[in-house]
Amino acid sequence: MSKYGTIEYRIMARIARKKSAVFVRDDFSDISDYDQVGRVLRILTKKGSLIRLGYGVYARAKKSPINGETVPVAPLPVLAKEALQRLGIETAPSRLEEAYNAGKTTQVPTGRLIGVKGRINRKLGYRGALISYERTT
């Protein structure tokens, strides 16, 4: 069997075609079953093609030009907002972002606090830097 028919090759081809930086496991459910897709995503994470942000959530990765480590292609707050959108969770600016944008404060928010509408119980992060959620209306 050639490498072109493997599940890993088909998943990598789909990742290369997509413009999105965030992928969920359900994106590949038509390629193979849940367990096999999970195994391939774990292999791609070890190879440095993907980074695991949370349970079933992955992001594109690249080699850092500074130290050669695998890093995400975008900042963590951007990836987290895109991941929440892919999961069907509506986001909004947090209180800190609203205060900064309104000119009430000069303290720049870090972006690791994301306002969400509704309840969420999901950890998203990378290398110990986790995203926090704030419930907004």
Side-chain angles (χ1 to χ4, degrees):
M1 183 173 178
S2 69
K3 74 172 188 169
Y4 300 110
T6 63
I7 297 170
E8 182 177 351
Y9 179 80
R10 292 170 63 192
I11 288 177
M12 280 301 296
R14 183 165 298 173
I15 289 171
R17 281 193 312 264
K18 295 267 187 178
K19 293 180 182 176
S20 174
V22 175
F23 304 96
V24 293
R25 191 185 286 215
D26 290 341
D27 291 344
F28 312 107
S29 62
D30 61 326
I31 293 176
S32 188
D33 69 342
Y34 185 85
D35 291 332
Q36 285 182 320
V37 168
R39 267 184 243 125
V40 171
L41 291 174
R42 194 168 38 251
I43 289 169
L44 293 176
T45 302
K46 284 182 184 177
K47 286 184 177 179
S49 301
L50 294 176
I51 288 178
R52 185 174 184 261
L53 295 178
Y55 183 77
V57 180
Y58 297 86
R60 284 186 203 271
K62 64 179 180 180
K63 292 278 185 190
S64 171
I66 298 170
N67 56 9
E69 291 182 7
T70 304
V71 294
V73 294
L76 183 58
V78 173
L79 294 174
K81 286 181 182 178
E82 187 176 343
L84 291 173
Q85 178 190 7
R86 297 290 315 275
L87 295 169
I89 299 166
E90 193 174 343
T91 62
S94 66
R95 284 184 298 113
L96 299 174
E97 288 174 322
E98 287 177 348
Y100 178 74
N101 291 337
K104 295 178 183 175
T105 181
T106 57
Q107 187 171 359
V108 180
T110 62
R112 287 207 221 145
L113 180 67
I114 297 176
V116 294
K117 296 183 179 182
R119 293 177 52 188
I120 181 169
N121 187 20
R122 181 178 279 268
K123 291 181 183 177
L124 292 175
Y126 174 68
R127 287 198 179 164
L130 294 175
I131 296 292
S132 301
Y133 307 106
E134 174 185 65
R135 203 156 170 198
T136 60
T137 56

